[in-house]
Amino acid sequence: MTATSEGIDASVRSAVRATYAVFIASGVAFASWASRIPQVRDRFHLDPSELGLVLLAMAAGSVIALPLSGVIIGHFGSRWTVRTTALLVAVAMAVVSLGSLVGLVPVVIGLFLFGLGMGAWDVAMNVQGALAERRLGRAIMPRFHAGFSVGTVAGALLGAGMVALQVPVAAHLLGV
């Protein structure tokens, strides 16, 4: 049964829900890190140019991941790539969080891995979204992107709450 039939197949509904969840989780992860940038800057006494260089590690990871994503997705599939890159982002957040306790080098390494994971995750989840749309039989990609926005709002609110409660960066990011 397809979306143009009497109802929507349960596997299609499941794929759409999973795709929403992936977009939301990506937004939460990104905004959780972003909400803690001021504490990391202060912890390591970084001036604006030094902070820019630290954040460049994330951009470098993403720039490397984006062109490789198509090859990875073509070889392993978008579902596997989403799962694997989400796990990479989780590991990267753990490296950043623990790095925030011990030194700037682990933070930079973690941010590079974070960018690598987020870049590939973004491409893979959009491919998954396109596949879900095709199975559904109608365009819903803007809703998936709205899910990312909902995730960023949730991550930012969570981050603001953690800052207000004086939860350490490491505990917050490890929790996420």
mmCIF file with all atom_site columns, all heavy atoms in Angstrom, residues 57-69 72 112 115-116 119-120:
data_model
loop_
_atom_site.group_PDB
_atom_site.id
_atom_site.type_symbol
_atom_site.label_atom_id
_atom_site.label_alt_id
_atom_site.label_comp_id
_atom_site.label_asym_id
_atom_site.label_entity_id
_atom_site.label_seq_id
_atom_site.pdbx_PDB_ins_code
_atom_site.Cartn_x
_atom_site.Cartn_y
_atom_site.Cartn_z
_atom_site.occupancy
_atom_site.B_iso_or_equiv
_atom_site.pdbx_formal_charge
_atom_site.auth_seq_id
_atom_site.auth_comp_id
_atom_site.auth_asym_id
_atom_site.auth_atom_id
_atom_site.pdbx_PDB_model_num
ATOM 1   N N   . ALA A 1 57  ? 38.025 24.056 13.196 1.00 0.00 ? 57  ALA A N   1
ATOM 2   C CA  . ALA A 1 57  ? 38.184 22.596 13.193 1.00 0.00 ? 57  ALA A CA  1
ATOM 3   C C   . ALA A 1 57  ? 36.869 21.919 12.810 1.00 0.00 ? 57  ALA A C   1
ATOM 4   O O   . ALA A 1 57  ? 36.853 20.949 12.047 1.00 0.00 ? 57  ALA A O   1
ATOM 5   C CB  . ALA A 1 57  ? 38.658 22.109 14.558 1.00 0.00 ? 57  ALA A CB  1
ATOM 6   N N   . MET A 1 58  ? 35.771 22.437 13.317 1.00 0.00 ? 58  MET A N   1
ATOM 7   C CA  . MET A 1 58  ? 34.456 21.879 12.984 1.00 0.00 ? 58  MET A CA  1
ATOM 8   C C   . MET A 1 58  ? 34.153 22.083 11.499 1.00 0.00 ? 58  MET A C   1
ATOM 9   O O   . MET A 1 58  ? 33.703 21.156 10.817 1.00 0.00 ? 58  MET A O   1
ATOM 10  C CB  . MET A 1 58  ? 33.379 22.538 13.848 1.00 0.00 ? 58  MET A CB  1
ATOM 11  C CG  . MET A 1 58  ? 32.060 21.821 13.831 1.00 0.00 ? 58  MET A CG  1
ATOM 12  S SD  . MET A 1 58  ? 30.955 22.401 15.130 1.00 0.00 ? 58  MET A SD  1
ATOM 13  C CE  . MET A 1 58  ? 30.136 23.724 14.300 1.00 0.00 ? 58  MET A CE  1
ATOM 14  N N   . ALA A 1 59  ? 34.431 23.259 11.009 1.00 0.00 ? 59  ALA A N   1
ATOM 15  C CA  . ALA A 1 59  ? 34.201 23.553 9.596  1.00 0.00 ? 59  ALA A CA  1
ATOM 16  C C   . ALA A 1 59  ? 35.072 22.670 8.711  1.00 0.00 ? 59  ALA A C   1
ATOM 17  O O   . ALA A 1 59  ? 34.617 22.172 7.674  1.00 0.00 ? 59  ALA A O   1
ATOM 18  C CB  . ALA A 1 59  ? 34.466 25.028 9.316  1.00 0.00 ? 59  ALA A CB  1
ATOM 19  N N   . ALA A 1 60  ? 36.315 22.454 9.112  1.00 0.00 ? 60  ALA A N   1
ATOM 20  C CA  . ALA A 1 60  ? 37.223 21.608 8.328  1.00 0.00 ? 60  ALA A CA  1
ATOM 21  C C   . ALA A 1 60  ? 36.676 20.184 8.241  1.00 0.00 ? 60  ALA A C   1
ATOM 22  O O   . ALA A 1 60  ? 36.690 19.565 7.168  1.00 0.00 ? 60  ALA A O   1
ATOM 23  C CB  . ALA A 1 60  ? 38.620 21.605 8.939  1.00 0.00 ? 60  ALA A CB  1
ATOM 24  N N   . GLY A 1 61  ? 36.193 19.671 9.353  1.00 0.00 ? 61  GLY A N   1
ATOM 25  C CA  . GLY A 1 61  ? 35.602 18.334 9.341  1.00 0.00 ? 61  GLY A CA  1
ATOM 26  C C   . GLY A 1 61  ? 34.410 18.246 8.404  1.00 0.00 ? 61  GLY A C   1
ATOM 27  O O   . GLY A 1 61  ? 34.265 17.287 7.638  1.00 0.00 ? 61  GLY A O   1
ATOM 28  N N   . SER A 1 62  ? 33.582 19.253 8.441  1.00 0.00 ? 62  SER A N   1
ATOM 29  C CA  . SER A 1 62  ? 32.403 19.277 7.583  1.00 0.00 ? 62  SER A CA  1
ATOM 30  C C   . SER A 1 62  ? 32.780 19.368 6.109  1.00 0.00 ? 62  SER A C   1
ATOM 31  O O   . SER A 1 62  ? 32.211 18.672 5.262  1.00 0.00 ? 62  SER A O   1
ATOM 32  C CB  . SER A 1 62  ? 31.501 20.454 7.971  1.00 0.00 ? 62  SER A CB  1
ATOM 33  O OG  . SER A 1 62  ? 30.325 20.445 7.226  1.00 0.00 ? 62  SER A OG  1
ATOM 34  N N   . VAL A 1 63  ? 33.758 20.216 5.793  1.00 0.00 ? 63  VAL A N   1
ATOM 35  C CA  . VAL A 1 63  ? 34.193 20.376 4.402  1.00 0.00 ? 63  VAL A CA  1
ATOM 36  C C   . VAL A 1 63  ? 34.750 19.059 3.850  1.00 0.00 ? 63  VAL A C   1
ATOM 37  O O   . VAL A 1 63  ? 34.540 18.731 2.684  1.00 0.00 ? 63  VAL A O   1
ATOM 38  C CB  . VAL A 1 63  ? 35.224 21.525 4.286  1.00 0.00 ? 63  VAL A CB  1
ATOM 39  C CG1 . VAL A 1 63  ? 35.961 21.488 2.971  1.00 0.00 ? 63  VAL A CG1 1
ATOM 40  C CG2 . VAL A 1 63  ? 34.546 22.862 4.481  1.00 0.00 ? 63  VAL A CG2 1
ATOM 41  N N   . ILE A 1 64  ? 35.412 18.308 4.681  1.00 0.00 ? 64  ILE A N   1
ATOM 42  C CA  . ILE A 1 64  ? 35.931 17.007 4.250  1.00 0.00 ? 64  ILE A CA  1
ATOM 43  C C   . ILE A 1 64  ? 34.784 16.010 4.074  1.00 0.00 ? 64  ILE A C   1
ATOM 44  O O   . ILE A 1 64  ? 34.758 15.226 3.122  1.00 0.00 ? 64  ILE A O   1
ATOM 45  C CB  . ILE A 1 64  ? 36.981 16.490 5.250  1.00 0.00 ? 64  ILE A CB  1
ATOM 46  C CG1 . ILE A 1 64  ? 38.239 17.352 5.149  1.00 0.00 ? 64  ILE A CG1 1
ATOM 47  C CG2 . ILE A 1 64  ? 37.295 15.012 5.005  1.00 0.00 ? 64  ILE A CG2 1
ATOM 48  C CD1 . ILE A 1 64  ? 39.240 17.114 6.257  1.00 0.00 ? 64  ILE A CD1 1
ATOM 49  N N   . ALA A 1 65  ? 33.837 16.032 4.992  1.00 0.00 ? 65  ALA A N   1
ATOM 50  C CA  . ALA A 1 65  ? 32.743 15.054 4.967  1.00 0.00 ? 65  ALA A CA  1
ATOM 51  C C   . ALA A 1 65  ? 31.774 15.255 3.802  1.00 0.00 ? 65  ALA A C   1
ATOM 52  O O   . ALA A 1 65  ? 31.297 14.263 3.226  1.00 0.00 ? 65  ALA A O   1
ATOM 53  C CB  . ALA A 1 65  ? 31.960 15.118 6.274  1.00 0.00 ? 65  ALA A CB  1
ATOM 54  N N   . LEU A 1 66  ? 31.478 16.474 3.468  1.00 0.00 ? 66  LEU A N   1
ATOM 55  C CA  . LEU A 1 66  ? 30.437 16.723 2.468  1.00 0.00 ? 66  LEU A CA  1
ATOM 56  C C   . LEU A 1 66  ? 30.703 16.046 1.132  1.00 0.00 ? 66  LEU A C   1
ATOM 57  O O   . LEU A 1 66  ? 29.836 15.329 0.628  1.00 0.00 ? 66  LEU A O   1
ATOM 58  C CB  . LEU A 1 66  ? 30.190 18.223 2.323  1.00 0.00 ? 66  LEU A CB  1
ATOM 59  C CG  . LEU A 1 66  ? 29.508 18.860 3.540  1.00 0.00 ? 66  LEU A CG  1
ATOM 60  C CD1 . LEU A 1 66  ? 29.500 20.385 3.417  1.00 0.00 ? 66  LEU A CD1 1
ATOM 61  C CD2 . LEU A 1 66  ? 28.105 18.332 3.723  1.00 0.00 ? 66  LEU A CD2 1
ATOM 62  N N   . PRO A 1 67  ? 31.883 16.210 0.522  1.00 0.00 ? 67  PRO A N   1
ATOM 63  C CA  . PRO A 1 67  ? 32.082 15.540 -0.768 1.00 0.00 ? 67  PRO A CA  1
ATOM 64  C C   . PRO A 1 67  ? 32.210 14.015 -0.651 1.00 0.00 ? 67  PRO A C   1
ATOM 65  O O   . PRO A 1 67  ? 31.944 13.296 -1.616 1.00 0.00 ? 67  PRO A O   1
ATOM 66  C CB  . PRO A 1 67  ? 33.370 16.164 -1.308 1.00 0.00 ? 67  PRO A CB  1
ATOM 67  C CG  . PRO A 1 67  ? 34.061 16.739 -0.135 1.00 0.00 ? 67  PRO A CG  1
ATOM 68  C CD  . PRO A 1 67  ? 32.996 17.086 0.862  1.00 0.00 ? 67  PRO A CD  1
ATOM 69  N N   . LEU A 1 68  ? 32.606 13.526 0.513  1.00 0.00 ? 68  LEU A N   1
ATOM 70  C CA  . LEU A 1 68  ? 32.739 12.082 0.695  1.00 0.00 ? 68  LEU A CA  1
ATOM 71  C C   . LEU A 1 68  ? 31.398 11.410 0.987  1.00 0.00 ? 68  LEU A C   1
ATOM 72  O O   . LEU A 1 68  ? 31.266 10.190 0.835  1.00 0.00 ? 68  LEU A O   1
ATOM 73  C CB  . LEU A 1 68  ? 33.707 11.778 1.843  1.00 0.00 ? 68  LEU A CB  1
ATOM 74  C CG  . LEU A 1 68  ? 35.157 12.191 1.627  1.00 0.00 ? 68  LEU A CG  1
ATOM 75  C CD1 . LEU A 1 68  ? 35.985 11.913 2.876  1.00 0.00 ? 68  LEU A CD1 1
ATOM 76  C CD2 . LEU A 1 68  ? 35.744 11.470 0.426  1.00 0.00 ? 68  LEU A CD2 1
ATOM 77  N N   . SER A 1 69  ? 30.427 12.187 1.396  1.00 0.00 ? 69  SER A N   1
ATOM 78  C CA  . SER A 1 69  ? 29.132 11.640 1.811  1.00 0.00 ? 69  SER A CA  1
ATOM 79  C C   . SER A 1 69  ? 28.455 10.845 0.708  1.00 0.00 ? 69  SER A C   1
ATOM 80  O O   . SER A 1 69  ? 27.909 9.766  0.963  1.00 0.00 ? 69  SER A O   1
ATOM 81  C CB  . SER A 1 69  ? 28.195 12.769 2.259  1.00 0.00 ? 69  SER A CB  1
ATOM 82  O OG  . SER A 1 69  ? 28.733 13.427 3.357  1.00 0.00 ? 69  SER A OG  1
ATOM 83  N N   . ILE A 1 72  ? 30.067 7.459  0.416  1.00 0.00 ? 72  ILE A N   1
ATOM 84  C CA  . ILE A 1 72  ? 29.729 6.621  1.569  1.00 0.00 ? 72  ILE A CA  1
ATOM 85  C C   . ILE A 1 72  ? 28.286 6.147  1.475  1.00 0.00 ? 72  ILE A C   1
ATOM 86  O O   . ILE A 1 72  ? 27.995 4.955  1.665  1.00 0.00 ? 72  ILE A O   1
ATOM 87  C CB  . ILE A 1 72  ? 29.989 7.386  2.884  1.00 0.00 ? 72  ILE A CB  1
ATOM 88  C CG1 . ILE A 1 72  ? 31.486 7.667  3.029  1.00 0.00 ? 72  ILE A CG1 1
ATOM 89  C CG2 . ILE A 1 72  ? 29.454 6.609  4.081  1.00 0.00 ? 72  ILE A CG2 1
ATOM 90  C CD1 . ILE A 1 72  ? 31.826 8.667  4.110  1.00 0.00 ? 72  ILE A CD1 1
ATOM 91  N N   . PHE A 1 112 ? 36.597 18.708 15.212 1.00 0.00 ? 112 PHE A N   1
ATOM 92  C CA  . PHE A 1 112 ? 36.845 18.204 13.863 1.00 0.00 ? 112 PHE A CA  1
ATOM 93  C C   . PHE A 1 112 ? 35.952 16.979 13.601 1.00 0.00 ? 112 PHE A C   1
ATOM 94  O O   . PHE A 1 112 ? 35.286 16.890 12.570 1.00 0.00 ? 112 PHE A O   1
ATOM 95  C CB  . PHE A 1 112 ? 38.319 17.848 13.685 1.00 0.00 ? 112 PHE A CB  1
ATOM 96  C CG  . PHE A 1 112 ? 38.604 17.221 12.349 1.00 0.00 ? 112 PHE A CG  1
ATOM 97  C CD1 . PHE A 1 112 ? 38.722 18.008 11.212 1.00 0.00 ? 112 PHE A CD1 1
ATOM 98  C CD2 . PHE A 1 112 ? 38.725 15.842 12.225 1.00 0.00 ? 112 PHE A CD2 1
ATOM 99  C CE1 . PHE A 1 112 ? 38.965 17.430 9.969  1.00 0.00 ? 112 PHE A CE1 1
ATOM 100 C CE2 . PHE A 1 112 ? 38.964 15.262 10.997 1.00 0.00 ? 112 PHE A CE2 1
ATOM 101 C CZ  . PHE A 1 112 ? 39.085 16.052 9.861  1.00 0.00 ? 112 PHE A CZ  1
ATOM 102 N N   . GLY A 1 115 ? 32.317 18.070 13.221 1.00 0.00 ? 115 GLY A N   1
ATOM 103 C CA  . GLY A 1 115 ? 32.058 18.595 11.879 1.00 0.00 ? 115 GLY A CA  1
ATOM 104 C C   . GLY A 1 115 ? 31.996 17.494 10.840 1.00 0.00 ? 115 GLY A C   1
ATOM 105 O O   . GLY A 1 115 ? 31.129 17.499 9.956  1.00 0.00 ? 115 GLY A O   1
ATOM 106 N N   . LEU A 1 116 ? 32.889 16.531 10.948 1.00 0.00 ? 116 LEU A N   1
ATOM 107 C CA  . LEU A 1 116 ? 32.894 15.383 10.044 1.00 0.00 ? 116 LEU A CA  1
ATOM 108 C C   . LEU A 1 116 ? 31.561 14.634 10.147 1.00 0.00 ? 116 LEU A C   1
ATOM 109 O O   . LEU A 1 116 ? 30.918 14.350 9.133  1.00 0.00 ? 116 LEU A O   1
ATOM 110 C CB  . LEU A 1 116 ? 34.064 14.471 10.434 1.00 0.00 ? 116 LEU A CB  1
ATOM 111 C CG  . LEU A 1 116 ? 34.591 13.474 9.437  1.00 0.00 ? 116 LEU A CG  1
ATOM 112 C CD1 . LEU A 1 116 ? 35.241 14.175 8.251  1.00 0.00 ? 116 LEU A CD1 1
ATOM 113 C CD2 . LEU A 1 116 ? 35.607 12.563 10.121 1.00 0.00 ? 116 LEU A CD2 1
ATOM 114 N N   . GLY A 1 119 ? 28.467 16.928 9.035  1.00 0.00 ? 119 GLY A N   1
ATOM 115 C CA  . GLY A 1 119 ? 28.429 17.145 7.589  1.00 0.00 ? 119 GLY A CA  1
ATOM 116 C C   . GLY A 1 119 ? 27.857 15.944 6.863  1.00 0.00 ? 119 GLY A C   1
ATOM 117 O O   . GLY A 1 119 ? 26.959 16.065 6.021  1.00 0.00 ? 119 GLY A O   1
ATOM 118 N N   . ALA A 1 120 ? 28.376 14.764 7.184  1.00 0.00 ? 120 ALA A N   1
ATOM 119 C CA  . ALA A 1 120 ? 27.886 13.550 6.530  1.00 0.00 ? 120 ALA A CA  1
ATOM 120 C C   . ALA A 1 120 ? 26.475 13.202 6.985  1.00 0.00 ? 120 ALA A C   1
ATOM 121 O O   . ALA A 1 120 ? 25.649 12.732 6.189  1.00 0.00 ? 120 ALA A O   1
ATOM 122 C CB  . ALA A 1 120 ? 28.843 12.396 6.814  1.00 0.00 ? 120 ALA A CB  1
#
